[in-house]
Amino acid sequence: MPDIGMFLLAAMALTIAPGPDNITVLTRGIAQGRQAALVSACGFASGLLVHSLLAVLGFAALMKAYPTAYMVLRYAGALYLLYLGGRLLMSTGAIFVHGLNDTGPLKRVYWQSVVASALNPKVTLFFIAFLPQFVNAQAGNTVWQMGVLAILFIMQALIIFSAIALCSGMIGSYLQRHLNSSTYLNRLAGCAFIGLGIRMVLPE
C-alpha cells in the first residue's frame, strides 16, 4: 500500500500554498459570496479529475512499455519536487486580493473553474511527477494505487477549497492586513516539497 499519511501531508501543503485555484476561490467568496466560492471550489476539484486520469493512464502505459522507467520517473519526479520547493522558498508570494467582475450564474462559475483547472498543464505535470512517488512498486497493482492516491488528492483539495470558500471573508480581511502571510505559506510548502524530494532519492 502507498504511504497515505505522507501523501496527504504533502498534498495538503500543495493545496494550501497560494496558487491560482485557491486564490480564485477566495476572491469569488469576497466578491460574490460563499455560494459562488463553494461552486468554484467544486469546479476546481472536478478539473483535477482530468489531471488524475492523465497521470494514472500515462503512468500505467509507461510501466507496461518500459518496466525500468519507474526508477527514471521516480528520480525525475524527485528533481521536479526539489525545483518546486526551491521556487516556493524564493517566492515573495504577496497576495493582493481583487474582486472578480464576473457575477454570472453559478453554472457558469462552476464550468469556468473546471476549465481553468483542466487546462493548466502545470497541474498535469505535477500529478505525473507527484503521484508515482508514493506508489509501492513491490506491492503490485500500481494503477489501483495511483487511482486511490488521485481520489484522496481530489477529496482533500475539495475540503480545503470549501473551507477557504466558507471562510473567504475572514481570510480575505486577514490577507489584506498581513500581505506577507502568503510568503510563509509558500516557505512551508517549499520545505515540504524539498524534504519529499530528498526522501525519494534516498535508498529504501
PDB file of all heavy atoms in Angstrom, residues 15 19-45 97-98 100 109 113 157-169 171-172:
ATOM      1  N   THR A  15      -1.935  22.106  -1.675  1.00  0.00           N
ATOM      2  CA  THR A  15      -3.246  22.720  -1.840  1.00  0.00           C
ATOM      3  C   THR A  15      -3.360  24.034  -1.085  1.00  0.00           C
ATOM      4  O   THR A  15      -3.995  24.982  -1.563  1.00  0.00           O
ATOM      5  CB  THR A  15      -4.346  21.745  -1.358  1.00  0.00           C
ATOM      6  OG1 THR A  15      -4.184  20.486  -2.026  1.00  0.00           O
ATOM      7  CG2 THR A  15      -5.728  22.285  -1.660  1.00  0.00           C
ATOM      8  N   GLY A  19      -2.030  29.752  -4.758  1.00  0.00           N
ATOM      9  CA  GLY A  19      -1.966  29.461  -6.184  1.00  0.00           C
ATOM     10  C   GLY A  19      -3.216  29.994  -6.859  1.00  0.00           C
ATOM     11  O   GLY A  19      -4.127  30.501  -6.197  1.00  0.00           O
ATOM     12  N   PRO A  20      -3.292  29.884  -8.194  1.00  0.00           N
ATOM     13  CA  PRO A  20      -4.443  30.452  -8.906  1.00  0.00           C
ATOM     14  C   PRO A  20      -5.771  29.834  -8.525  1.00  0.00           C
ATOM     15  O   PRO A  20      -6.811  30.504  -8.574  1.00  0.00           O
ATOM     16  CB  PRO A  20      -4.116  30.179 -10.382  1.00  0.00           C
ATOM     17  CG  PRO A  20      -3.102  29.085 -10.364  1.00  0.00           C
ATOM     18  CD  PRO A  20      -2.320  29.274  -9.104  1.00  0.00           C
ATOM     19  N   ASP A  21      -5.775  28.556  -8.136  1.00  0.00           N
ATOM     20  CA  ASP A  21      -7.038  27.903  -7.809  1.00  0.00           C
ATOM     21  C   ASP A  21      -7.603  28.395  -6.474  1.00  0.00           C
ATOM     22  O   ASP A  21      -8.742  28.858  -6.397  1.00  0.00           O
ATOM     23  CB  ASP A  21      -6.876  26.382  -7.795  1.00  0.00           C
ATOM     24  CG  ASP A  21      -5.574  25.945  -7.155  1.00  0.00           C
ATOM     25  OD1 ASP A  21      -4.916  26.776  -6.491  1.00  0.00           O
ATOM     26  OD2 ASP A  21      -5.207  24.766  -7.307  1.00  0.00           O
ATOM     27  N   ASN A  22      -6.802  28.286  -5.393  1.00  0.00           N
ATOM     28  CA  ASN A  22      -7.353  28.707  -4.104  1.00  0.00           C
ATOM     29  C   ASN A  22      -7.525  30.224  -4.006  1.00  0.00           C
ATOM     30  O   ASN A  22      -8.419  30.700  -3.300  1.00  0.00           O
ATOM     31  CB  ASN A  22      -6.511  28.175  -2.934  1.00  0.00           C
ATOM     32  CG  ASN A  22      -5.043  28.425  -3.093  1.00  0.00           C
ATOM     33  OD1 ASN A  22      -4.621  29.359  -3.745  1.00  0.00           O
ATOM     34  ND2 ASN A  22      -4.240  27.568  -2.474  1.00  0.00           N
ATOM     35  N   ILE A  23      -6.708  30.985  -4.735  1.00  0.00           N
ATOM     36  CA  ILE A  23      -6.887  32.441  -4.743  1.00  0.00           C
ATOM     37  C   ILE A  23      -8.171  32.815  -5.479  1.00  0.00           C
ATOM     38  O   ILE A  23      -8.899  33.738  -5.079  1.00  0.00           O
ATOM     39  CB  ILE A  23      -5.678  33.147  -5.382  1.00  0.00           C
ATOM     40  CG1 ILE A  23      -4.427  32.914  -4.535  1.00  0.00           C
ATOM     41  CG2 ILE A  23      -5.944  34.645  -5.511  1.00  0.00           C
ATOM     42  CD1 ILE A  23      -4.547  33.381  -3.105  1.00  0.00           C
ATOM     43  N   THR A  24      -8.493  32.076  -6.554  1.00  0.00           N
ATOM     44  CA  THR A  24      -9.742  32.338  -7.263  1.00  0.00           C
ATOM     45  C   THR A  24     -10.938  32.023  -6.381  1.00  0.00           C
ATOM     46  O   THR A  24     -11.919  32.782  -6.345  1.00  0.00           O
ATOM     47  CB  THR A  24      -9.815  31.490  -8.549  1.00  0.00           C
ATOM     48  OG1 THR A  24      -8.728  31.843  -9.410  1.00  0.00           O
ATOM     49  CG2 THR A  24     -11.131  31.740  -9.285  1.00  0.00           C
ATOM     50  N   VAL A  25     -10.888  30.895  -5.665  1.00  0.00           N
ATOM     51  CA  VAL A  25     -11.967  30.552  -4.733  1.00  0.00           C
ATOM     52  C   VAL A  25     -12.116  31.656  -3.687  1.00  0.00           C
ATOM     53  O   VAL A  25     -13.236  32.086  -3.362  1.00  0.00           O
ATOM     54  CB  VAL A  25     -11.684  29.198  -4.056  1.00  0.00           C
ATOM     55  CG1 VAL A  25     -12.697  28.942  -2.936  1.00  0.00           C
ATOM     56  CG2 VAL A  25     -11.743  28.070  -5.075  1.00  0.00           C
ATOM     57  N   LEU A  26     -10.997  32.129  -3.173  1.00  0.00           N
ATOM     58  CA  LEU A  26     -11.023  33.178  -2.155  1.00  0.00           C
ATOM     59  C   LEU A  26     -11.646  34.460  -2.690  1.00  0.00           C
ATOM     60  O   LEU A  26     -12.531  35.047  -2.050  1.00  0.00           O
ATOM     61  CB  LEU A  26      -9.600  33.448  -1.668  1.00  0.00           C
ATOM     62  CG  LEU A  26      -9.407  34.605  -0.678  1.00  0.00           C
ATOM     63  CD1 LEU A  26     -10.169  34.334   0.606  1.00  0.00           C
ATOM     64  CD2 LEU A  26      -7.927  34.818  -0.395  1.00  0.00           C
ATOM     65  N   THR A  27     -11.217  34.906  -3.867  1.00  0.00           N
ATOM     66  CA  THR A  27     -11.741  36.147  -4.422  1.00  0.00           C
ATOM     67  C   THR A  27     -13.203  36.009  -4.826  1.00  0.00           C
ATOM     68  O   THR A  27     -13.964  36.977  -4.766  1.00  0.00           O
ATOM     69  CB  THR A  27     -10.899  36.604  -5.627  1.00  0.00           C
ATOM     70  OG1 THR A  27     -10.790  35.540  -6.575  1.00  0.00           O
ATOM     71  CG2 THR A  27      -9.508  37.006  -5.179  1.00  0.00           C
ATOM     72  N   ARG A  28     -13.601  34.805  -5.253  1.00  0.00           N
ATOM     73  CA  ARG A  28     -15.028  34.578  -5.528  1.00  0.00           C
ATOM     74  C   ARG A  28     -15.846  34.822  -4.260  1.00  0.00           C
ATOM     75  O   ARG A  28     -16.908  35.453  -4.295  1.00  0.00           O
ATOM     76  CB  ARG A  28     -15.257  33.145  -6.007  1.00  0.00           C
ATOM     77  CG  ARG A  28     -14.800  32.833  -7.395  1.00  0.00           C
ATOM     78  CD  ARG A  28     -15.776  33.294  -8.444  1.00  0.00           C
ATOM     79  NE  ARG A  28     -15.371  32.811  -9.760  1.00  0.00           N
ATOM     80  CZ  ARG A  28     -15.909  33.241 -10.890  1.00  0.00           C
ATOM     81  NH1 ARG A  28     -16.855  34.157 -10.862  1.00  0.00           N
ATOM     82  NH2 ARG A  28     -15.499  32.762 -12.061  1.00  0.00           N
ATOM     83  N   GLY A  29     -15.350  34.283  -3.149  1.00  0.00           N
ATOM     84  CA  GLY A  29     -16.082  34.443  -1.898  1.00  0.00           C
ATOM     85  C   GLY A  29     -16.177  35.883  -1.458  1.00  0.00           C
ATOM     86  O   GLY A  29     -17.221  36.339  -0.961  1.00  0.00           O
ATOM     87  N   ILE A  30     -15.093  36.631  -1.647  1.00  0.00           N
ATOM     88  CA  ILE A  30     -15.089  38.034  -1.236  1.00  0.00           C
ATOM     89  C   ILE A  30     -15.995  38.866  -2.127  1.00  0.00           C
ATOM     90  O   ILE A  30     -16.759  39.716  -1.653  1.00  0.00           O
ATOM     91  CB  ILE A  30     -13.648  38.587  -1.267  1.00  0.00           C
ATOM     92  CG1 ILE A  30     -12.787  37.872  -0.222  1.00  0.00           C
ATOM     93  CG2 ILE A  30     -13.632  40.098  -1.020  1.00  0.00           C
ATOM     94  CD1 ILE A  30     -11.325  38.215  -0.290  1.00  0.00           C
ATOM     95  N   ALA A  31     -15.927  38.609  -3.444  1.00  0.00           N
ATOM     96  CA  ALA A  31     -16.663  39.435  -4.398  1.00  0.00           C
ATOM     97  C   ALA A  31     -18.100  38.988  -4.600  1.00  0.00           C
ATOM     98  O   ALA A  31     -18.989  39.824  -4.807  1.00  0.00           O
ATOM     99  CB  ALA A  31     -15.933  39.442  -5.746  1.00  0.00           C
ATOM    100  N   GLN A  32     -18.364  37.677  -4.543  1.00  0.00           N
ATOM    101  CA  GLN A  32     -19.678  37.171  -4.925  1.00  0.00           C
ATOM    102  C   GLN A  32     -20.383  36.365  -3.841  1.00  0.00           C
ATOM    103  O   GLN A  32     -21.506  35.920  -4.053  1.00  0.00           O
ATOM    104  CB  GLN A  32     -19.545  36.305  -6.189  1.00  0.00           C
ATOM    105  CG  GLN A  32     -19.025  37.067  -7.400  1.00  0.00           C
ATOM    106  CD  GLN A  32     -18.733  36.146  -8.567  1.00  0.00           C
ATOM    107  OE1 GLN A  32     -17.601  36.056  -9.028  1.00  0.00           O
ATOM    108  NE2 GLN A  32     -19.744  35.464  -9.050  1.00  0.00           N
ATOM    109  N   GLY A  33     -19.718  36.137  -2.729  1.00  0.00           N
ATOM    110  CA  GLY A  33     -20.352  35.416  -1.634  1.00  0.00           C
ATOM    111  C   GLY A  33     -19.916  33.966  -1.536  1.00  0.00           C
ATOM    112  O   GLY A  33     -19.275  33.416  -2.434  1.00  0.00           O
ATOM    113  N   ARG A  34     -20.285  33.349  -0.420  1.00  0.00           N
ATOM    114  CA  ARG A  34     -19.844  31.977  -0.136  1.00  0.00           C
ATOM    115  C   ARG A  34     -20.370  30.960  -1.130  1.00  0.00           C
ATOM    116  O   ARG A  34     -19.681  30.004  -1.469  1.00  0.00           O
ATOM    117  CB  ARG A  34     -20.288  31.587   1.272  1.00  0.00           C
ATOM    118  CG  ARG A  34     -19.558  32.322   2.386  1.00  0.00           C
ATOM    119  CD  ARG A  34     -20.060  31.876   3.741  1.00  0.00           C
ATOM    120  NE  ARG A  34     -19.314  32.519   4.816  1.00  0.00           N
ATOM    121  CZ  ARG A  34     -19.595  32.357   6.103  1.00  0.00           C
ATOM    122  NH1 ARG A  34     -20.606  31.568   6.461  1.00  0.00           N
ATOM    123  NH2 ARG A  34     -18.879  32.977   7.019  1.00  0.00           N
ATOM    124  N   GLN A  35     -21.606  31.161  -1.594  1.00  0.00           N
ATOM    125  CA  GLN A  35     -22.180  30.171  -2.511  1.00  0.00           C
ATOM    126  C   GLN A  35     -21.370  30.084  -3.802  1.00  0.00           C
ATOM    127  O   GLN A  35     -21.053  28.986  -4.279  1.00  0.00           O
ATOM    128  CB  GLN A  35     -23.635  30.518  -2.826  1.00  0.00           C
ATOM    129  CG  GLN A  35     -24.368  29.432  -3.594  1.00  0.00           C
ATOM    130  CD  GLN A  35     -25.835  29.751  -3.808  1.00  0.00           C
ATOM    131  OE1 GLN A  35     -26.254  30.905  -3.700  1.00  0.00           O
ATOM    132  NE2 GLN A  35     -26.631  28.734  -4.107  1.00  0.00           N
ATOM    133  N   ALA A  36     -21.021  31.251  -4.374  1.00  0.00           N
ATOM    134  CA  ALA A  36     -20.215  31.250  -5.595  1.00  0.00           C
ATOM    135  C   ALA A  36     -18.844  30.647  -5.328  1.00  0.00           C
ATOM    136  O   ALA A  36     -18.295  29.927  -6.177  1.00  0.00           O
ATOM    137  CB  ALA A  36     -20.071  32.679  -6.125  1.00  0.00           C
ATOM    138  N   ALA A  37     -18.278  30.920  -4.161  1.00  0.00           N
ATOM    139  CA  ALA A  37     -16.961  30.370  -3.826  1.00  0.00           C
ATOM    140  C   ALA A  37     -17.023  28.851  -3.689  1.00  0.00           C
ATOM    141  O   ALA A  37     -16.122  28.139  -4.137  1.00  0.00           O
ATOM    142  CB  ALA A  37     -16.449  31.003  -2.535  1.00  0.00           C
ATOM    143  N   LEU A  38     -18.083  28.326  -3.072  1.00  0.00           N
ATOM    144  CA  LEU A  38     -18.231  26.881  -2.929  1.00  0.00           C
ATOM    145  C   LEU A  38     -18.403  26.213  -4.295  1.00  0.00           C
ATOM    146  O   LEU A  38     -17.848  25.128  -4.543  1.00  0.00           O
ATOM    147  CB  LEU A  38     -19.426  26.556  -2.031  1.00  0.00           C
ATOM    148  CG  LEU A  38     -19.215  26.776  -0.528  1.00  0.00           C
ATOM    149  CD1 LEU A  38     -20.538  26.663   0.216  1.00  0.00           C
ATOM    150  CD2 LEU A  38     -18.211  25.752   0.011  1.00  0.00           C
ATOM    151  N   VAL A  39     -19.161  26.839  -5.175  1.00  0.00           N
ATOM    152  CA  VAL A  39     -19.337  26.301  -6.526  1.00  0.00           C
ATOM    153  C   VAL A  39     -17.994  26.303  -7.257  1.00  0.00           C
ATOM    154  O   VAL A  39     -17.646  25.347  -7.954  1.00  0.00           O
ATOM    155  CB  VAL A  39     -20.386  27.123  -7.296  1.00  0.00           C
ATOM    156  CG1 VAL A  39     -20.402  26.724  -8.770  1.00  0.00           C
ATOM    157  CG2 VAL A  39     -21.765  26.915  -6.686  1.00  0.00           C
ATOM    158  N   SER A  40     -17.223  27.379  -7.095  1.00  0.00           N
ATOM    159  CA  SER A  40     -15.901  27.448  -7.710  1.00  0.00           C
ATOM    160  C   SER A  40     -14.982  26.368  -7.152  1.00  0.00           C
ATOM    161  O   SER A  40     -14.214  25.748  -7.890  1.00  0.00           O
ATOM    162  CB  SER A  40     -15.293  28.831  -7.480  1.00  0.00           C
ATOM    163  OG  SER A  40     -14.039  28.950  -8.115  1.00  0.00           O
ATOM    164  N   ALA A  41     -15.065  26.119  -5.844  1.00  0.00           N
ATOM    165  CA  ALA A  41     -14.260  25.063  -5.222  1.00  0.00           C
ATOM    166  C   ALA A  41     -14.586  23.703  -5.833  1.00  0.00           C
ATOM    167  O   ALA A  41     -13.690  22.911  -6.139  1.00  0.00           O
ATOM    168  CB  ALA A  41     -14.504  25.040  -3.716  1.00  0.00           C
ATOM    169  N   CYS A  42     -15.875  23.432  -6.034  1.00  0.00           N
ATOM    170  CA  CYS A  42     -16.284  22.171  -6.659  1.00  0.00           C
ATOM    171  C   CYS A  42     -15.778  22.082  -8.097  1.00  0.00           C
ATOM    172  O   CYS A  42     -15.388  21.010  -8.567  1.00  0.00           O
ATOM    173  CB  CYS A  42     -17.808  22.045  -6.635  1.00  0.00           C
ATOM    174  SG  CYS A  42     -18.512  21.828  -4.990  1.00  0.00           S
ATOM    175  N   GLY A  43     -15.772  23.215  -8.791  1.00  0.00           N
ATOM    176  CA  GLY A  43     -15.292  23.228 -10.165  1.00  0.00           C
ATOM    177  C   GLY A  43     -13.809  22.908 -10.266  1.00  0.00           C
ATOM    178  O   GLY A  43     -13.391  22.111 -11.111  1.00  0.00           O
ATOM    179  N   PHE A  44     -13.011  23.510  -9.392  1.00  0.00           N
ATOM    180  CA  PHE A  44     -11.569  23.239  -9.410  1.00  0.00           C
ATOM    181  C   PHE A  44     -11.287  21.782  -9.039  1.00  0.00           C
ATOM    182  O   PHE A  44     -10.400  21.141  -9.620  1.00  0.00           O
ATOM    183  CB  PHE A  44     -10.840  24.188  -8.467  1.00  0.00           C
ATOM    184  CG  PHE A  44     -10.538  25.523  -9.072  1.00  0.00           C
ATOM    185  CD1 PHE A  44     -11.231  26.654  -8.667  1.00  0.00           C
ATOM    186  CD2 PHE A  44      -9.571  25.653 -10.053  1.00  0.00           C
ATOM    187  CE1 PHE A  44     -10.960  27.898  -9.231  1.00  0.00           C
ATOM    188  CE2 PHE A  44      -9.289  26.885 -10.629  1.00  0.00           C
ATOM    189  CZ  PHE A  44      -9.988  28.013 -10.217  1.00  0.00           C
ATOM    190  N   ALA A  45     -12.009  21.267  -8.055  1.00  0.00           N
ATOM    191  CA  ALA A  45     -11.829  19.860  -7.681  1.00  0.00           C
ATOM    192  C   ALA A  45     -12.237  18.940  -8.830  1.00  0.00           C
ATOM    193  O   ALA A  45     -11.578  17.923  -9.088  1.00  0.00           O
ATOM    194  CB  ALA A  45     -12.647  19.540  -6.428  1.00  0.00           C
ATOM    195  N   VAL A  97      -5.673  40.882  -2.986  1.00  0.00           N
ATOM    196  CA  VAL A  97      -6.983  40.320  -3.286  1.00  0.00           C
ATOM    197  C   VAL A  97      -7.809  41.328  -4.051  1.00  0.00           C
ATOM    198  O   VAL A  97      -8.032  42.442  -3.598  1.00  0.00           O
ATOM    199  CB  VAL A  97      -7.703  39.913  -1.986  1.00  0.00           C
ATOM    200  CG1 VAL A  97      -9.073  39.356  -2.306  1.00  0.00           C
ATOM    201  CG2 VAL A  97      -6.876  38.901  -1.235  1.00  0.00           C
ATOM    202  N   HIS A  98      -8.260  40.935  -5.215  1.00  0.00           N
ATOM    203  CA  HIS A  98      -9.107  41.777  -6.044  1.00  0.00           C
ATOM    204  C   HIS A  98     -10.442  41.086  -6.249  1.00  0.00           C
ATOM    205  O   HIS A  98     -10.510  39.868  -6.352  1.00  0.00           O
ATOM    206  CB  HIS A  98      -8.467  42.024  -7.416  1.00  0.00           C
ATOM    207  CG  HIS A  98      -7.123  42.680  -7.328  1.00  0.00           C
ATOM    208  ND1 HIS A  98      -6.965  44.012  -7.068  1.00  0.00           N
ATOM    209  CD2 HIS A  98      -5.871  42.167  -7.446  1.00  0.00           C
ATOM    210  CE1 HIS A  98      -5.679  44.321  -7.049  1.00  0.00           C
ATOM    211  NE2 HIS A  98      -4.991  43.213  -7.270  1.00  0.00           N
ATOM    212  N   LEU A 100     -13.737  39.860  -8.336  1.00  0.00           N
ATOM    213  CA  LEU A 100     -13.959  39.388  -9.694  1.00  0.00           C
ATOM    214  C   LEU A 100     -15.166  40.106 -10.270  1.00  0.00           C
ATOM    215  O   LEU A 100     -16.195  40.264  -9.620  1.00  0.00           O
ATOM    216  CB  LEU A 100     -14.203  37.875  -9.701  1.00  0.00           C
ATOM    217  CG  LEU A 100     -13.043  37.021  -9.181  1.00  0.00           C
ATOM    218  CD1 LEU A 100     -13.437  35.556  -9.233  1.00  0.00           C
ATOM    219  CD2 LEU A 100     -11.789  37.260  -9.969  1.00  0.00           C
ATOM    220  N   VAL A 109     -19.971  29.893 -13.222  1.00  0.00           N
ATOM    221  CA  VAL A 109     -18.863  29.918 -12.264  1.00  0.00           C
ATOM    222  C   VAL A 109     -18.230  28.537 -12.157  1.00  0.00           C
ATOM    223  O   VAL A 109     -16.999  28.388 -12.149  1.00  0.00           O
ATOM    224  CB  VAL A 109     -19.352  30.400 -10.884  1.00  0.00           C
ATOM    225  CG1 VAL A 109     -18.257  30.212  -9.821  1.00  0.00           C
ATOM    226  CG2 VAL A 109     -19.777  31.855 -10.939  1.00  0.00           C
ATOM    227  N   SER A 113     -14.381  27.374 -13.559  1.00  0.00           N
ATOM    228  CA  SER A 113     -13.391  26.794 -12.651  1.00  0.00           C
ATOM    229  C   SER A 113     -12.903  25.443 -13.162  1.00  0.00           C
ATOM    230  O   SER A 113     -11.711  25.125 -13.079  1.00  0.00           O
ATOM    231  CB  SER A 113     -13.984  26.649 -11.251  1.00  0.00           C
ATOM    232  OG  SER A 113     -14.389  27.903 -10.738  1.00  0.00           O
ATOM    233  N   ALA A 157      -8.405  18.249  -1.600  1.00  0.00           N
ATOM    234  CA  ALA A 157      -8.459  19.555  -2.261  1.00  0.00           C
ATOM    235  C   ALA A 157      -9.853  20.157  -2.141  1.00  0.00           C
ATOM    236  O   ALA A 157      -9.999  21.360  -1.874  1.00  0.00           O
ATOM    237  CB  ALA A 157      -8.058  19.419  -3.728  1.00  0.00           C
ATOM    238  N   LEU A 158     -10.878  19.344  -2.334  1.00  0.00           N
ATOM    239  CA  LEU A 158     -12.247  19.831  -2.221  1.00  0.00           C
ATOM    240  C   LEU A 158     -12.540  20.325  -0.802  1.00  0.00           C
ATOM    241  O   LEU A 158     -13.170  21.376  -0.610  1.00  0.00           O
ATOM    242  CB  LEU A 158     -13.234  18.727  -2.599  1.00  0.00           C
ATOM    243  CG  LEU A 158     -14.725  19.081  -2.496  1.00  0.00           C
ATOM    244  CD1 LEU A 158     -15.068  20.268  -3.378  1.00  0.00           C
ATOM    245  CD2 LEU A 158     -15.588  17.872  -2.855  1.00  0.00           C
ATOM    246  N   ILE A 159     -12.059  19.601   0.213  1.00  0.00           N
ATOM    247  CA  ILE A 159     -12.275  20.002   1.598  1.00  0.00           C
ATOM    248  C   ILE A 159     -11.585  21.335   1.882  1.00  0.00           C
ATOM    249  O   ILE A 159     -12.175  22.252   2.484  1.00  0.00           O
ATOM    250  CB  ILE A 159     -11.771  18.911   2.563  1.00  0.00           C
ATOM    251  CG1 ILE A 159     -12.655  17.668   2.458  1.00  0.00           C
ATOM    252  CG2 ILE A 159     -11.737  19.422   4.003  1.00  0.00           C
ATOM    253  CD1 ILE A 159     -12.126  16.470   3.213  1.00  0.00           C
ATOM    254  N   ILE A 160     -10.328  21.467   1.442  1.00  0.00           N
ATOM    255  CA  ILE A 160      -9.584  22.706   1.713  1.00  0.00           C
ATOM    256  C   ILE A 160     -10.167  23.873   0.921  1.00  0.00           C
ATOM    257  O   ILE A 160     -10.336  24.977   1.464  1.00  0.00           O
ATOM    258  CB  ILE A 160      -8.093  22.503   1.397  1.00  0.00           C
ATOM    259  CG1 ILE A 160      -7.478  21.531   2.408  1.00  0.00           C
ATOM    260  CG2 ILE A 160      -7.349  23.846   1.404  1.00  0.00           C
ATOM    261  CD1 ILE A 160      -6.031  21.198   2.149  1.00  0.00           C
ATOM    262  N   PHE A 161     -10.489  23.657  -0.353  1.00  0.00           N
ATOM    263  CA  PHE A 161     -11.094  24.721  -1.141  1.00  0.00           C
ATOM    264  C   PHE A 161     -12.424  25.166  -0.530  1.00  0.00           C
ATOM    265  O   PHE A 161     -12.735  26.358  -0.499  1.00  0.00           O
ATOM    266  CB  PHE A 161     -11.329  24.249  -2.583  1.00  0.00           C
ATOM    267  CG  PHE A 161     -10.076  24.090  -3.400  1.00  0.00           C
ATOM    268  CD1 PHE A 161     -10.089  23.346  -4.570  1.00  0.00           C
ATOM    269  CD2 PHE A 161      -8.883  24.663  -3.000  1.00  0.00           C
ATOM    270  CE1 PHE A 161      -8.939  23.199  -5.327  1.00  0.00           C
ATOM    271  CE2 PHE A 161      -7.730  24.515  -3.746  1.00  0.00           C
ATOM    272  CZ  PHE A 161      -7.762  23.777  -4.917  1.00  0.00           C
ATOM    273  N   SER A 162     -13.213  24.201  -0.055  1.00  0.00           N
ATOM    274  CA  SER A 162     -14.507  24.535   0.549  1.00  0.00           C
ATOM    275  C   SER A 162     -14.318  25.312   1.847  1.00  0.00           C
ATOM    276  O   SER A 162     -15.073  26.245   2.140  1.00  0.00           O
ATOM    277  CB  SER A 162     -15.307  23.255   0.813  1.00  0.00           C
ATOM    278  OG  SER A 162     -15.594  22.572  -0.395  1.00  0.00           O
ATOM    279  N   ALA A 163     -13.304  24.944   2.620  1.00  0.00           N
ATOM    280  CA  ALA A 163     -13.017  25.680   3.855  1.00  0.00           C
ATOM    281  C   ALA A 163     -12.613  27.111   3.540  1.00  0.00           C
ATOM    282  O   ALA A 163     -13.031  28.062   4.237  1.00  0.00           O
ATOM    283  CB  ALA A 163     -11.911  24.975   4.642  1.00  0.00           C
ATOM    284  N   ILE A 164     -11.808  27.285   2.484  1.00  0.00           N
ATOM    285  CA  ILE A 164     -11.437  28.637   2.061  1.00  0.00           C
ATOM    286  C   ILE A 164     -12.671  29.419   1.638  1.00  0.00           C
ATOM    287  O   ILE A 164     -12.821  30.602   1.965  1.00  0.00           O
ATOM    288  CB  ILE A 164     -10.416  28.572   0.912  1.00  0.00           C
ATOM    289  CG1 ILE A 164      -9.083  28.013   1.420  1.00  0.00           C
ATOM    290  CG2 ILE A 164     -10.203  29.952   0.279  1.00  0.00           C
ATOM    291  CD1 ILE A 164      -8.062  27.761   0.330  1.00  0.00           C
ATOM    292  N   ALA A 165     -13.576  28.750   0.914  1.00  0.00           N
ATOM    293  CA  ALA A 165     -14.807  29.408   0.468  1.00  0.00           C
ATOM    294  C   ALA A 165     -15.650  29.849   1.649  1.00  0.00           C
ATOM    295  O   ALA A 165     -16.153  30.979   1.689  1.00  0.00           O
ATOM    296  CB  ALA A 165     -15.598  28.461  -0.433  1.00  0.00           C
ATOM    297  N   LEU A 166     -15.823  28.979   2.634  1.00  0.00           N
ATOM    298  CA  LEU A 166     -16.661  29.295   3.786  1.00  0.00           C
ATOM    299  C   LEU A 166     -16.057  30.412   4.645  1.00  0.00           C
ATOM    300  O   LEU A 166     -16.780  31.176   5.276  1.00  0.00           O
ATOM    301  CB  LEU A 166     -16.872  28.039   4.632  1.00  0.00           C
ATOM    302  CG  LEU A 166     -17.719  26.936   3.991  1.00  0.00           C
ATOM    303  CD1 LEU A 166     -17.705  25.677   4.850  1.00  0.00           C
ATOM    304  CD2 LEU A 166     -19.159  27.417   3.780  1.00  0.00           C
ATOM    305  N   CYS A 167     -14.727  30.470   4.657  1.00  0.00           N
ATOM    306  CA  CYS A 167     -14.043  31.473   5.494  1.00  0.00           C
ATOM    307  C   CYS A 167     -13.483  32.612   4.656  1.00  0.00           C
ATOM    308  O   CYS A 167     -12.595  33.341   5.117  1.00  0.00           O
ATOM    309  CB  CYS A 167     -12.914  30.813   6.281  1.00  0.00           C
ATOM    310  SG  CYS A 167     -13.421  29.464   7.345  1.00  0.00           S
ATOM    311  N   SER A 168     -13.979  32.765   3.423  1.00  0.00           N
ATOM    312  CA  SER A 168     -13.385  33.714   2.488  1.00  0.00           C
ATOM    313  C   SER A 168     -13.362  35.141   3.007  1.00  0.00           C
ATOM    314  O   SER A 168     -12.372  35.863   2.824  1.00  0.00           O
ATOM    315  CB  SER A 168     -14.108  33.655   1.140  1.00  0.00           C
ATOM    316  OG  SER A 168     -15.503  33.860   1.312  1.00  0.00           O
ATOM    317  N   GLY A 169     -14.437  35.575   3.643  1.00  0.00           N
ATOM    318  CA  GLY A 169     -14.474  36.941   4.158  1.00  0.00           C
ATOM    319  C   GLY A 169     -13.403  37.180   5.202  1.00  0.00           C
ATOM    320  O   GLY A 169     -12.645  38.159   5.141  1.00  0.00           O
ATOM    321  N   ILE A 171     -10.683  35.294   5.779  1.00  0.00           N
ATOM    322  CA  ILE A 171      -9.350  35.095   5.209  1.00  0.00           C
ATOM    323  C   ILE A 171      -8.935  36.300   4.373  1.00  0.00           C
ATOM    324  O   ILE A 171      -7.792  36.772   4.450  1.00  0.00           O
ATOM    325  CB  ILE A 171      -9.314  33.816   4.350  1.00  0.00           C
ATOM    326  CG1 ILE A 171      -9.534  32.583   5.231  1.00  0.00           C
ATOM    327  CG2 ILE A 171      -7.981  33.702   3.605  1.00  0.00           C
ATOM    328  CD1 ILE A 171      -9.671  31.294   4.453  1.00  0.00           C
ATOM    329  N   GLY A 172      -9.867  36.834   3.585  1.00  0.00           N
ATOM    330  CA  GLY A 172      -9.548  37.995   2.754  1.00  0.00           C
ATOM    331  C   GLY A 172      -9.153  39.195   3.584  1.00  0.00           C
ATOM    332  O   GLY A 172      -8.190  39.900   3.261  1.00  0.00           O
TER     333      GLY A 172
END
